[in-house]
Amino acid sequence: MSLVKQEEFAILEKVINIRNRLTALKQKVDFIKTQDVMNIYHAMVKQGRRIPTTQPRPSSCNLADFALSRVLLAAMLLYHPQPVSLLIEVRDEENFSQPSNRLDKTMSDVFSLLSLFFLRIGKTRECPATYCQIASIRQLLDHMNESSSFTDADLKPFRARLNELRHIVVSDKESGKHPEAMTMLLERKLNACDVVLTQLHESLSVLSVELVPIHQKLVALRRHLVALAAKQKPSKADLKPLQEELRKLDSKRVNDRFLGPDGTPVPSSQALVVGILEECFEIAHEIEAREKDVSFTLKAIYDRLMEIRGQLESLVMTHRWTLRETDLWNYENALRDIDKMRVDGKFVDSEGNKPQGQYVLLYLLRRCYGLIYRLLSSSEPVSEELMPIANKLSTVKKCLNEVLKYGGPFTARDLYPIDQTRKDGKFISSEDGSVPEGQGILMAHLNECHELLEMLKESMSDEEDDDNENDE
């Protein structure tokens, strides 16, 4: 990591201060106020006058005048905080896409936290909320590129999601809802993801038509193998059919080359397919030879990744009731620290050796990244404060559908407690009287519940009429 440049020190100081404010806000037990988040956000991206980052010394002034001008510049920076605008001025696009020094790392931390806060307060359709999702996609794409084990079907969802996120950014840019500095930053991040995604597509374009089915089978087998390897006690019975499938594919080679329908060797992409095949055999051999979970020297990393995976999988099941998006920050940091332990893509021990269990750890690491991305993508545009009401309405709606289907007692009085939380037709914050995000979704749920109740009343009325006719 390179050193921070002299002209960037003032920006770094501001960004560190903002990160401290966000970290303190994250620790808050009560619901987060939207205004608290927006105040910090505007401090980060506020755009006042364009202030030069360097000031040449005029030939006509003495040292005292020049020193005074530098003090004035520092004061301007202090009272007109605009770190993103300033950083864009002192960086070109090539040096902006990836973190290269402490300032980049700190700014990345701040925007990741801000993005999680935007998700937490329900502003999921605004461009700041896309930052952490773009970063998560980039992590997954980089790991896919490293493993060389993916298909076109794996890439399509990422392309679709990036297009959705770009639409949000472009829409905010055109409407002027967010500062140009913010949208410019996100566009550069999106462009960097597009570059990696294009490279991945191009790496698959060399595949011969004859080898595409074999390649897809090998990618699927590799995933089954690493998932099996990640189990605490892999079953040899589960391994055997996978090995047999590998041997069948391997038997199609003649002189180490796959043949086409006419019996001649396929001219291109042999190396890509054979590489995955050999890697599959290597993983299978590691499972067979392994007596313990992983090497003793890697056990601590394995245990930590298993713990994180378990917690994230629990959140996937219960995120509607228990997830605070800002909690994902701790998991992201832990995974990032583990990822940094690798040397040339491998985990090493204190002596620099690469013990057995590499595939297991990489599988768990990528699995955790995937779970975080899934949680980020599933975040709903409802503020944290209104989420309990949204969950109640969702439950009531399911109950009404069941009552409508099978019969049972339910009246409009059951919705009264939820209706009472509204004021002038809106769900109001109990803390400061503000109107949290998610009004449209809650009102849609509530209206649907009332419609279902009317349908129930009509069906009950029809039943009573039928009973009266039978009595007569």
Side-chain angles (χ1 to χ4, degrees):
M1 186 175 286
S2 60
L3 297 174
V4 177
K5 297 178 182 178
Q6 185 66 38
E7 62 266 28
E8 296 180 357
F9 276 124
I11 310 172
L12 175 61
E13 186 177 345
K14 296 177 186 305
V15 176
I16 290 174
N17 178 263
I18 291 172
R19 184 180 63 182
N20 292 340
R21 290 170 64 188
L22 285 169
T23 304
L25 185 61
K26 189 173 75 72
Q27 306 303 324
K28 188 177 178 182
V29 178
D30 300 329
F31 295 125
I32 300 296
K33 294 181 181 178
T34 299
Q35 195 56 48
D36 291 342
V37 176
M38 297 308 295
N39 288 341
I40 300 176
Y41 168 69
H42 287 303
M44 187 68 180
V45 298
K46 178 181 176 183
Q47 293 207 91
R49 293 179 291 160
R50 306 289 286 188
I51 302 173
T53 56
T54 57
Q55 183 175 342
R57 176 179 175 179
S59 56
S60 59
C61 73
N62 57 30
L63 286 174
D65 291 334
F66 180 68
L68 177 61
S69 70
R70 300 303 292 169
V71 171
L72 290 173
L73 175 60
M76 290 168 68
L77 285 169
L78 180 62
Y79 292 105
H80 296 273
Q82 42 185 333
V84 179
S85 304
L86 288 171
L87 189 61
I88 290 174
E89 283 190 9
V90 300
R91 294 281 180 85
D92 56 26
E93 184 158 349
E94 181 180 353
N95 293 328
F96 204 92
S97 59
Q98 286 294 307
S100 59
N101 62 21
R102 187 185 173 194
L103 175 58
D104 293 310
K105 173 65 173 64
T106 310
M107 287 194 73
S108 178
D109 288 348
V110 168
F111 279 114
S112 292
L113 273 170
L114 278 171
S115 185
L116 292 171
F117 271 112
F118 265 72
L119 292 176
R120 184 169 169 179
I121 62 177
K123 292 182 177 290
T124 61
R125 301 295 297 175
E126 296 190 22
C127 65
T130 67
Y131 185 94
C132 58
Q133 297 176 67
I134 297 170
S136 182
I137 289 174
R138 178 61 189 271
Q139 285 175 330
L140 290 169
L141 291 176
D142 285 342
H143 273 275
M144 289 173 71
N145 192 24
E146 182 184 337
S147 70
S148 300
S149 181
F150 54 89
T151 65
D152 271 322
D154 298 322
L155 301 180
K156 284 180 182 178
F158 290 112
R159 175 65 71 190
R161 186 57 182 162
L162 284 172
N163 288 339
E164 291 173 6
L165 297 176
R166 188 178 290 278
H167 176 74
I168 294 173
V169 174
V170 171
S171 177
D172 281 358
K173 179 181 180 181
E174 292 174 350
S175 66
K177 190 172 187 177
H178 289 275
E180 181 186 0
M182 185 74 240
T183 56
M184 187 182 298
L185 169 69
L186 292 169
E187 283 182 331
R188 289 176 175 179
K189 293 287 184 182
L190 284 165
N191 292 340
C193 284
D194 284 337
V195 169
V196 179
L197 194 56
T198 300
Q199 290 173 350
L200 295 177
H201 275 295
E202 289 175 351
S203 69
L204 291 178
S205 65
V206 302
L207 270 174
S208 301
V209 177
E210 299 87 348
L211 290 184
V212 169
I214 297 175
H215 177 262
Q216 291 175 344
K217 286 181 182 178
L218 285 171
V219 170
L221 279 171
R222 186 187 183 279
R223 287 176 184 164
H224 286 306
L225 285 166
V226 292
L228 180 61
K231 292 183 178 180
Q232 292 186 348
K233 293 182 179 180
S235 169
K236 301 294 174 66
D238 293 334
L239 177 62
K240 188 175 180 180
L242 298 176
Q243 288 178 311
E244 289 175 355
E245 191 67 28
L246 282 174
R247 293 189 188 103
K248 285 181 184 178
L249 292 173
D250 192 28
S251 66
K252 295 181 179 181
R253 290 197 295 166
V254 176
N255 296 327
D256 295 331
R257 295 176 68 82
F258 287 100
L259 304 180
D262 57 357
T264 59
V266 179
S268 62
S269 59
Q270 292 279 345
L272 175 61
V273 178
V274 171
I276 300 176
L277 177 64
E278 292 177 350
E279 192 174 26
C280 286
F281 276 118
E282 187 177 340
I283 300 170
H285 175 73
E286 185 172 305
I287 295 173
E288 270 191 321
R290 200 177 83 204
E291 295 180 358
K292 299 179 180 179
D293 296 327
V294 291
S295 170
F296 175 76
T297 54
L298 300 180
K299 189 69 166 61
I301 301 174
Y302 172 80
D303 290 341
R304 180 62 177 137
L305 285 171
M306 286 292 287
E307 179 186 6
I308 293 173
R309 186 184 73 165
Q311 292 171 353
L312 289 173
E313 286 176 341
S314 296
L315 282 175
V316 168
M317 297 294 292
T318 63
H319 70 276
R320 284 185 61 88
W321 298 273
T322 61
L323 177 66
R324 285 183 163 187
E325 283 80 0
T326 47
D327 293 340
L328 296 177
W329 169 250
N330 297 329
Y331 294 113
E332 288 179 344
N333 272 345
L335 293 173
R336 196 180 300 124
D337 291 341
I338 292 173
D339 215 346
K340 287 178 182 177
M341 295 179 183
R342 296 193 293 153
V343 177
D344 297 327
K346 303 287 185 182
F347 291 96
V348 298
D349 57 21
S350 57
E351 297 177 357
N353 299 318
K354 299 172 183 177
Q356 280 195 345
Q358 299 290 331
Y359 293 112
V360 177
L361 297 186
L362 285 174
Y363 166 78
L364 290 172
L365 182 61
R366 290 162 186 166
R367 172 69 175 160
C368 290
Y369 279 140
L371 290 169
I372 287 178
Y373 172 65
R374 184 175 171 183
L375 287 165
L376 291 173
S377 301
S378 63
S379 183
E380 297 186 41
V382 178
S383 72
E384 178 189 15
E385 187 169 3
L386 295 186
M387 189 55 75
I389 300 176
N391 290 334
K392 286 178 184 177
L393 284 170
S394 179
T395 303
V396 168
K397 189 168 67 173
K398 289 178 182 177
C399 290
L400 285 170
N401 278 310
E402 291 298 309
V403 171
L404 190 62
K405 187 175 180 181
Y406 299 108
F410 205 96
T411 67
R413 186 177 298 177
D414 295 306
L415 284 175
Y416 183 75
I418 297 177
D419 269 329
Q420 282 296 99
T421 59
R422 290 191 297 160
K423 184 177 181 180
D424 297 328
K426 295 185 181 296
F427 292 94
I428 305 298
S429 169
S430 58
E431 287 195 6
D432 56 6
S434 61
V435 181
E437 295 289 327
Q439 299 290 325
I441 290 179
L442 265 64
M443 285 305 301
H445 284 325
L446 185 59
N447 291 336
E448 194 170 347
C449 287
H450 281 296
E451 288 174 7
L452 288 168
L453 275 172
E454 290 301 318
M455 292 171 66
L456 278 172
K457 287 180 183 178
E458 291 176 8
S459 65
M460 291 172 66
S461 176
D462 292 340
E463 288 177 4
E464 289 177 0
D465 292 341
D466 291 340
D467 290 340
N468 291 334
E469 290 177 4
N470 292 332
D471 291 338
E472 291 176 1

